[in-house]
Amino acid sequence: MSSRKMLCMATGVLAITLIASVLSVLIAMTSARLDIQAQLADQLPERLSEAMRYSFADREVFAHVNQQISEDLAQVRIKGLLPVLESCQIRLIRLTQHAPENHALSADTGNIAVNWSRGRGIDQAEFALDCQINFPALIGSHVAIALMLMGIWCLLPAPLGTDQKRLSDVLLDHGIPAPAVQQILQKTTPEQLQHLIEDPWFILAMRKFANAEINLDSAFVITASAPTVSFFHSAHQVVIHGITIILPKTPYFYFAWYALQRRQNTHEGWILNPAVDRPDRRLATTLINLMERFGGHQKAINDLKEHGLRSKILDQNRNKIKEELVAALGDELAAGFLFETERDSRSSRYRYRLCCPPSNILLDTPTI
Amino acid sequence: MRLAVLSGAGVVCLLILFIVSRHSSSELELGHYYQHFCDTPGSNMPAAQPSNSKRLRLLLVTPAMASDIATLLCDRASVREQFSGVEVSWRPRMELSANDLVNENYDVIWNREHFLTGLLPDLHDYYDTLLHYDNYAVFWLSLQSTPVMTAEYFRGRRIGLLSDVSSHTHHLLPLRSLKAVNAHQGDFDPVFFDDTSALYDSFYRGEIDLMTGGLSFASEDQPVYRTLLDNSATAATFFIRKELHRPQLRCDIIDALELLAPLWQGIESHPHGSEAC
């Protein structure tokens, strides 16, 4: 996490703690005040009424009541689920005759006012509520709340900007699911993504990531890979633009055989298809050597030895190679690593070679 | 989406904050404020402690001078010898029960004799008369004009009364007087008060037109017009428990009650069996 983000987090925690603490104290004080006000309103009028019933002058009773109420309310036990307030004291400030009506809670002073009817007027007792704040409980609990909120903030994906939204839509249009899109957006800047999104290899890699075939880092490696095709004979696999494709043994060796021809640039990589009725035993030799050396199917080797390289078998294997590459890369991307063809002017038969330039073909064993 | 989730979390946090931050007080228990206590010097028993047996308890009908009476009695040697403190109470007199009298919960009671014997016919088996008063005069009072004892005069007027039905001066006598002149309910406008102070205050403020009172009632600022309502109203009497027979104690109590003398201005008091004082 960057120091700027850390500072931002700390400021957020501090701000939330402060605001929540102030709110908490306000709620605690107000609720306590309202509760005490309700209790006093319930009891005090009757108590005062019976105390003043035979009084000829309010002043002498008020003085006496003042002292008694102060003793009764000197210590009030305050309770709450979160003990924000430690203890409270209620002080009787004054008893007033003919108080203004509807003045239950003195908004200006925050004092508690209890009104009661006397004859044709309203009398009022005004109390002050003094509470001590339980700072350890207050700060501790609110720091925890602030950390939790900031944690949620960090865990949630950041809102998308206009560019990111547009790029996200493009990825979604390519069939990449939303959760994968979110991860891609977190890993790239809009500028990077703008560039990448035009690369079909990137789209392909992201689809494979979305299908859980590879992880996101591997997907970026594929995107950044060179447009080469690498052959690994022992494993019968090719790696095209960083994407590993395991082919069936026999088509693999046919593919590798074409690649070897193209890499060595013999006849510019072209291999003429044998005539339908005349298998080519000379061409079959290199293919047999390749298969025998790297564990090709004995049946295919025997077939080549017995019948030579036949046009039909060659066509079948090219088709199988095409099928496998298209399945792995799609038509468009596979095309660059498949075969190109032209008619041989002398024999009028077709000849085939790999499309990609020789420099893009990497062989773990360049010669047989 | 991030903002929506965070807003939701914020609202939930606020809600939780609101619930957990709410505070309430444990149940407040206000005492009765119709009594005044003091400790006798040298007593180490707090007067407010409910130890009835050791406290001299006086039940009066007004808080007037209550603290002075208590303080005076607490200082008297005769009281100190028998009591740890003094309680002067003006508990609503309608709350007084026969049980209070039989159990002798109060050492001194100020009330009308007929009220107490109504509760306990053999009152004098438990209590002696300490101070007896002559009958007194009650008047209709007005700040506007001299009251006239006719139904026509009272029609539509706001008449201040105490809601305490045991009050002679401010409830029974004025209602009896109104009935005597054929002023019926609906003819006048009765305004009931819980306490005398509020009744007097309303009278001075002009919120009521008429009230009743004794000869001592006066206003410093303006003339009070009077018309006699009853010349022989029965005054209340002070009773004392028979067991408190020591003359000096009775004399000291009578002496302390003299502080109330301004209230019965013009009414003669007669101590009973306390000639030694």
Side-chain angles (χ1 to χ4, degrees):
Chain A
M1 194 181 284
S2 69
S3 59
R4 186 176 170 178
K5 204 164 183 182
M6 286 282 284
L7 184 68
C8 195
M9 277 277 288
T11 310
V13 168
L14 189 66
I16 292 171
T17 303
L18 275 176
I19 292 167
S21 297
V22 169
L23 268 176
S24 220
V25 170
L26 273 176
I27 292 167
M29 286 295 290
T30 306
S31 54
R33 190 176 294 134
L34 287 172
D35 182 63
I36 290 167
Q37 200 266 338
Q39 290 200 50
L40 287 175
D42 189 43
Q43 295 185 46
L44 196 62
E46 189 188 338
R47 293 286 186 265
L48 289 175
S49 171
E50 62 188 19
M52 303 182 73
R53 187 156 301 173
Y54 308 118
S55 161
F56 298 114
D58 286 347
R59 210 180 323 153
E60 61 183 356
V61 183
F62 279 3
H64 164 73
V65 166
N66 198 332
Q67 186 193 342
Q68 299 258 311
I69 290 178
S70 298
E71 286 171 12
D72 281 351
L73 302 179
Q75 274 299 331
V76 179
R77 282 183 49 222
I78 295 287
K79 55 186 186 235
L81 286 175
L82 180 66
V84 169
L85 303 179
E86 208 160 28
S87 62
C88 291
Q89 298 80 42
I90 306 171
R91 279 183 298 112
L92 175 63
I93 300 173
R94 65 182 75 87
L95 289 163
T96 314
Q97 281 182 285
H98 313 298
E101 284 189 62
N102 301 323
H103 200 241
L105 197 63
S106 193
D108 298 341
T109 60
N111 290 335
I112 298 167
V114 178
N115 295 340
W116 71 96
S117 247
R118 276 184 81 198
R120 297 209 148 183
I122 299 287
D123 281 7
Q124 185 180 76
E126 199 174 347
F127 299 88
L129 179 67
D130 301 316
C131 292
Q132 286 73 51
I133 294 170
N134 184 354
F135 281 104
L138 181 72
I139 302 297
S141 57
H142 290 87
V143 165
I145 290 171
L147 284 172
M148 190 184 76
L149 279 176
M150 289 310 289
I152 291 172
W153 175 261
C154 287
L155 287 174
L156 289 172
L160 298 180
T162 314
D163 284 350
Q164 281 184 307
K165 179 80 176 72
R166 183 177 53 76
L167 294 167
S168 163
D169 290 345
V170 173
L171 289 172
L172 290 169
D173 289 345
H174 278 294
I176 299 168
V181 170
Q182 285 292 342
Q183 292 187 54
I184 295 163
L185 291 171
Q186 283 172 15
K187 279 270 187 178
T188 54
T189 64
E191 293 73 24
Q192 287 171 330
L193 195 55
Q194 178 61 52
H195 173 69
L196 289 171
I197 214 160
E198 290 162 7
D199 182 351
W201 289 102
F202 173 73
I203 300 298
L204 175 68
M206 291 309 145
R207 281 198 188 122
K208 287 185 177 296
F209 160 64
N211 292 336
E213 294 172 34
I214 52 173
N215 63 34
L216 192 54
D217 289 336
S218 301
F220 282 111
V221 169
I222 288 169
T223 308
S225 291
T228 57
V229 52
S230 305
F231 288 82
F232 298 93
H233 301 326
S234 302
H236 317 115
Q237 68 180 31
V238 292
V239 178
I240 298 174
H241 210 293
I243 297 171
T244 301
I245 304 164
I246 299 171
L247 293 167
K249 273 185 183 177
T250 303
Y252 171 81
F253 285 113
Y254 276 88
F255 196 22
W257 179 63
Y258 272 105
L260 194 63
Q261 195 75 5
R262 182 75 169 121
R263 177 76 178 126
Q264 290 170 346
N265 215 17
T266 312
H267 306 301
E268 295 179 333
W270 290 108
I271 295 175
L272 185 66
N273 250 21
V276 175
D277 53 346
R278 274 185 294 138
D280 192 328
R281 291 190 178 278
R282 186 185 58 82
L283 273 176
T285 311
T286 49
L287 186 52
I288 290 166
N289 287 343
L290 187 66
M291 285 183 169
E292 283 185 330
R293 186 171 169 189
F294 293 103
H297 271 301
Q298 198 56 48
K299 186 170 174 287
I301 295 168
N302 290 342
D303 186 66
L304 281 168
K305 282 180 177 174
E306 192 177 332
H307 301 109
L309 188 64
R310 287 178 291 170
S311 170
K312 183 186 160 192
I313 302 297
L314 207 50
D315 289 345
Q316 279 176 355
N317 278 289
R318 275 200 313 275
N319 286 339
K320 184 65 183 169
I321 292 163
K322 183 181 178 185
E323 192 182 306
E324 292 290 335
L325 262 64
V326 167
L329 308 176
D331 280 329
E332 189 189 340
L333 295 177
F337 296 89
L338 285 171
F339 302 93
E340 57 184 353
T341 182
E342 65 179 26
R343 193 182 283 271
D344 177 52
S345 55
R346 281 195 302 129
S347 62
S348 294
R349 294 200 303 272
Y350 284 98
R351 58 181 190 174
Y352 297 86
R353 71 171 182 180
L354 291 189
C355 291
C356 60
S359 58
N360 286 358
I361 297 171
L362 306 172
L363 293 147
D364 59 351
T365 309
T367 55
I368 304 298
Chain B
M1 180 195 153
R2 191 189 206 192
L3 207 63
V5 172
L6 203 74
S7 303
V11 169
V12 170
C13 279
L14 269 179
L15 206 65
I16 293 170
L17 199 69
F18 180 75
I19 292 167
V20 301
S21 297
R22 280 172 63 87
H23 277 58
S24 60
S25 76
S26 51
E27 203 166 318
L28 298 179
E29 286 184 17
L30 301 182
H32 293 288
Y33 303 138
Y34 50 61
Q35 48 210 3
H36 188 91
F37 306 96
C38 67
D39 294 326
T40 51
S43 164
N44 51 13
M45 184 188 293
Q49 205 169 308
S51 173
N52 300 346
S53 60
K54 298 301 287 178
R55 198 186 299 146
L56 179 65
R57 302 185 75 204
L58 287 78
L59 178 62
L60 309 184
V61 295
T62 172
M65 309 305 290
S67 63
D68 295 326
I69 292 169
T71 307
L72 188 63
L73 285 172
C74 273
D75 280 341
R76 293 299 165 95
S78 61
V79 175
R80 284 205 305 270
E81 284 167 10
Q82 294 184 62
F83 301 98
S84 62
V86 174
E87 171 195 315
V88 177
S89 168
W90 55 99
R91 177 184 169 197
R93 53 189 163 188
M94 291 301 284
E95 290 181 14
L96 187 68
S97 67
N99 273 345
D100 287 324
L101 299 177
V102 171
N103 295 324
E104 300 177 68
N105 288 340
Y106 293 97
D107 298 298
V108 176
I109 298 174
W110 185 15
N111 211 318
R112 289 191 172 84
E113 184 168 2
H114 66 82
F115 180 82
L116 297 183
T117 51
L119 289 174
L120 186 67
D122 51 354
L123 172 76
H124 292 289
D125 289 347
Y126 302 89
Y127 287 89
D128 289 334
T129 301
L130 184 68
L131 274 174
H132 174 74
Y133 293 90
D134 288 343
N135 290 354
Y136 66 103
V138 176
F139 299 86
W140 278 109
L141 307 171
S142 170
L143 295 177
Q144 298 154 1
S145 59
T146 305
V148 182
M149 300 298 286
T150 64
E152 187 58 34
Y153 176 79
F154 290 109
R155 183 161 296 130
R157 291 193 189 264
R158 297 164 299 177
I159 299 175
L161 302 164
L162 278 189
S163 47
D164 178 4
V165 295
S166 66
S167 168
H168 272 218
T169 309
H170 299 299
H171 189 96
L172 289 173
L173 294 180
L175 287 182
R176 197 181 71 182
S177 167
L178 288 164
K179 186 168 187 288
V181 297
N182 285 324
H184 302 292
Q185 293 276 347
D187 292 344
F188 56 91
D189 177 14
V191 182
F192 290 96
F193 295 84
D194 282 337
D195 60 89
T196 320
S197 175
L199 170 66
Y200 288 5
D201 188 58
S202 263
F203 181 72
Y204 286 129
R205 289 160 65 94
E207 291 169 357
I208 53 173
D209 303 313
L210 286 161
M211 60 170 265
T212 49
L215 192 61
S216 60
F217 189 89
S219 168
E220 291 175 3
D221 305 327
Q222 48 196 320
V224 178
Y225 299 98
R226 288 187 175 82
T227 297
L228 186 65
L229 185 160
D230 190 333
N231 200 26
S232 58
T234 311
T237 301
F238 284 95
F239 297 93
I240 187 165
R241 279 176 59 216
K242 278 184 175 298
E243 281 187 17
L244 302 181
H245 47 72
R246 289 187 186 178
Q248 188 54 50
L249 177 66
R250 291 194 172 200
C251 287
D252 285 339
I253 292 172
I254 289 169
D255 191 31
L257 295 176
E258 277 301 310
L259 290 170
L260 294 168
L263 296 181
W264 51 75
Q265 191 181 12
I267 310 171
E268 199 62 42
S269 64
H270 305 283
H272 276 241
S274 304
E275 291 76 8
C277 302

